[in-house]
């Protein structure tokens, strides 16, 4: 259910605003409007933030911002916002407006920026995903206290489950390198509420903290390969099917990996799939293969997410990886480029 107790809601046919006070069942909730409580079907309700934001009755409208206010270089307002801010890595969202014929303002798109408010020179690998696949990818170097325009998306993409992945590496000697991986998801309900608050306060930018600093690792006399090698897995009793030598791909569908998968729990299947993936990457590196394709399918996306998290931990072996559309696999496979 997309609603919970305490949520503010809009009754579609009357345009009244109320608050959910109880969940009756999967289809009905109890709503309070002007101290009166009554049951309502959930399909008759909506979150009010979009209505607040687009209503022609809204007061305190600010001057409409046009694309000319936000060139590809970072707007001065973002610099001013972060000038006195604590150090860290930030992801900033800037709503860009257009003016309709009747003079009303509407959001046309969102612009995204990466803020390096640290003393590090970093290598950034950035990926933006939606339900439709990968929307944008970028790899670049960012210098200390430099802010970078990334890209923009249309306003209606907010409903496509936008997800952002950041792979941040410090530029330093191998033994002194620092790594940070983080992921950010934008929930429409949260974004619309934040946009309304920004509109009321006259704030042009929403900056989200990704991390204050790189994670601290207590090590002594370890080289980079040892430091960032994947953690050893416990012994298991999975009966893996044999793989052909120097295979340029591995299919992680469970029936392709083990013979006794019918008796395995979902957790055991996932563990076996990740173990097979890790071993395939290690074998490919040992065989001096430049890349390997990991076939994970689409499904619910759980296996793909876990595979990508595993690959990020295998920094000593994995240079980078791409989950892009191909005629053979669609979005159901990831190509992994290896360090030789």
């Amino acid at each position: 259910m997309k609603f919970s107790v305490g949520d503010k809601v809009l009754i579609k046919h009357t345009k009244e605003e109320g608050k959910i006070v109880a969940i009756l069942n999967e289809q009905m909730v109890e709503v309070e409007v002007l101290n009166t409580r009554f049951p309502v079907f959930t399909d008759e309700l909506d979150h009010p933030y979009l209505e607040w934001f687009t209503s022609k009755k809204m007061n305190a409208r600010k001057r409409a911002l046009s694309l000319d206010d936000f060139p590809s270089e970072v707007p001065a307002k973002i610099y001013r916002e972060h000038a006195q801010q604590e150090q860290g890595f930030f992801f900033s969202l800037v709503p860009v407006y257009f003016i309709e014929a009747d003079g009303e303002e509407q959001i046309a798109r969102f612009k995204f920026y990466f803020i390096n408010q640290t003393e590090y020179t970093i290598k950034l690998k950035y990926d933006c995903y939606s339900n439709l696949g990968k929307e944008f990818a970028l790899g670049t170097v960012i210098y200390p206290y430099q802010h970078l325009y990334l890209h923009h998306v249309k306003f209606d993409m907010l409903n496509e489950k936008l997800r952002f992945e950041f792979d941040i590496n410090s530029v330093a000697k191998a033994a002194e390198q620092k790594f940070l991986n983080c992921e950010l998801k934008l929930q429409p309900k949260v974004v619309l509420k934040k946009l309304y608050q920004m509109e009321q306060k006259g704030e042009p930018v929403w900056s989200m903290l990704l991390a204050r600093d790189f994670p601290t690792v207590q090590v002594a006399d370890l080289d980079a390969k040892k430091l960032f090698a994947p953690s050893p897995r416990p012994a298991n009793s999975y009966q893996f099917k044999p793989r052909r030598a120097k295979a340029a791909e591995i299919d992680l569908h469970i029936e392709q990996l083990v013979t006794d998968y019918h008796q395995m729990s979902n957790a055991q299947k996932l563990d076996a799939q990740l173990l097979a993936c890790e071993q395939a990457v290690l074998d490919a590196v040992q065989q001096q293969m430049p890349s390997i394709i990991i076939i994970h399918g689409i499904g619910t996306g759980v296996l793909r997410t876990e595979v990508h998290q595993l690959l990020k931990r295998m920094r000593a072996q994995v240079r980078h990886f791409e989950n892009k559309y191909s005629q053979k696999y669609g979005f159901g496979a990831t190509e992994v480029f290896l360090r030789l």
Side-chain angles (χ1 to χ4, degrees):
M1 177 176 289
K2 65 178 182 179
F3 298 105
S4 57
V5 173
D7 282 356
K8 292 183 178 181
V9 293
L10 180 73
I11 301 174
K12 294 179 181 179
H13 69 282
T14 64
K15 298 300 181 182
E16 293 179 295
E17 294 180 18
K19 181 176 68 173
I20 293 179
V21 294
I23 304 295
L24 302 180
N25 52 48
E26 288 295 324
Q27 290 79 35
M28 295 191 71
V29 297
E30 186 176 7
V31 175
E32 182 180 276
V33 178
L34 298 176
N35 297 320
T36 301
R37 298 188 178 191
F38 51 90
V40 184
F41 285 100
T42 55
D43 57 6
E44 291 296 325
L45 299 176
D46 205 350
H47 291 292
Y49 307 118
L50 184 59
E51 179 72 14
W52 292 349
F53 194 77
T54 59
S55 171
K56 295 182 179 181
K57 297 179 181 179
M58 283 184 61
N59 298 318
R61 282 282 189 180
K62 307 301 177 183
R63 180 182 68 84
L65 303 177
S66 68
L67 290 178
D68 293 335
D69 291 306
F70 300 99
S72 58
E73 61 270 16
V74 179
K77 290 181 180 180
I78 294 184
Y79 280 115
R80 288 199 297 270
E81 176 180 329
H82 289 276
Q84 304 300 324
Q85 196 170 39
E86 294 184 23
Q87 290 199 348
F89 304 110
F90 297 84
F91 182 62
S92 290
L93 177 153
V94 178
V96 181
Y97 298 82
F98 71 94
I99 304 178
E100 295 183 328
D102 60 1
E104 283 297 311
E105 303 169 18
Q106 300 292 339
I107 291 184
R109 63 193 69 191
F110 298 116
K111 282 195 169 185
F112 300 123
Y113 296 83
F114 183 87
I115 314 298
N116 179 19
Q117 192 70 10
T118 73
E119 297 179 353
Y120 298 107
T121 298
I122 63 172
K123 290 182 180 179
L124 172 69
K125 185 177 183 298
Y126 165 80
D127 295 289
C128 172
Y129 298 91
S130 73
N131 281 342
L132 307 176
K134 182 178 286 190
E135 298 293 334
F136 184 81
L138 174 70
T140 188
V141 173
I142 305 180
Y143 295 98
Y145 302 100
Q146 182 183 24
H147 305 348
L148 178 70
Y149 168 71
L150 298 171
H151 66 116
H152 71 263
V153 299
K154 294 182 178 179
F155 175 72
D156 56 10
M157 286 296 294
L158 189 61
N159 294 318
E160 299 297 337
K161 295 186 178 179
L162 289 173
R163 177 170 59 87
F164 310 90
E165 291 186 359
F166 305 86
D167 189 357
I168 306 169
N169 301 335
S170 66
V171 177
K173 296 179 181 179
E176 300 174 356
Q177 284 184 347
K178 298 182 179 181
F179 303 92
L180 173 66
N181 300 108
C182 44
E183 180 179 279
L184 179 66
K185 297 179 181 179
L186 290 185
Q187 298 181 2
K189 173 182 172 181
V190 175
V191 175
L192 292 173
K193 183 176 181 180
K194 180 63 179 180
L195 289 173
Y196 176 72
Q197 294 171 347
M198 290 169 62
E199 187 75 22
Q200 298 302 299
K201 297 178 181 179
E203 298 174 347
V205 182
W206 179 21
S207 292
M208 292 156 272
L209 175 66
L210 299 175
R212 292 292 181 197
D213 201 340
F214 289 102
T216 302
V217 181
Q218 299 296 330
V219 294
D221 300 322
L222 289 179
D223 61 27
K225 287 190 175 181
K226 291 180 181 179
L227 177 58
F228 298 106
S231 301
R233 288 177 169 271
N236 64 80
S237 57
Y238 305 135
Q239 299 298 315
F240 286 103
K241 296 180 179 180
R243 294 180 64 235
R244 58 187 176 87
K246 293 191 176 181
E249 63 182 40
I250 180 172
D251 190 339
L252 295 185
H253 289 89
I254 193 65
E255 64 272 13
Q256 301 296 326
L257 296 178
V258 296
T259 56
D260 55 348
Y261 67 91
H262 296 288
Q263 305 300 321
M264 297 169 64
S265 67
N266 290 336
Q268 289 174 324
K269 291 178 182 178
L270 179 59
D271 184 67
Q273 289 168 316
L274 295 178
L275 181 61
C277 176
E278 181 180 321
Q279 190 59 53
V281 171
L282 294 175
D283 291 344
V285 171
Q286 186 176 18
Q287 296 166 11
Q288 296 292 298
M289 296 171 59
S291 65
I292 183 173
I293 294 176
I294 309 295
I295 305 170
H296 44 65
I298 300 177
T300 61
V302 173
L303 178 58
R304 180 186 66 182
T305 299
E306 291 295 329
V307 166
H308 288 180
Q309 292 299 321
L310 170 64
L311 295 174
K312 290 175 182 178
R313 295 193 297 270
M314 299 182 70
R315 294 188 174 277
Q317 295 82 22
V318 176
R319 182 157 48 91
H320 70 276
F321 56 89
E322 296 179 353
N323 177 215
K324 60 183 180 180
Y325 181 83
S326 68
Q327 291 185 343
K328 186 175 181 181
Y329 306 109
F331 288 105
T334 293
E335 185 171 8
V336 184
F337 298 90
L338 305 171
R339 300 183 189 274
L340 301 179

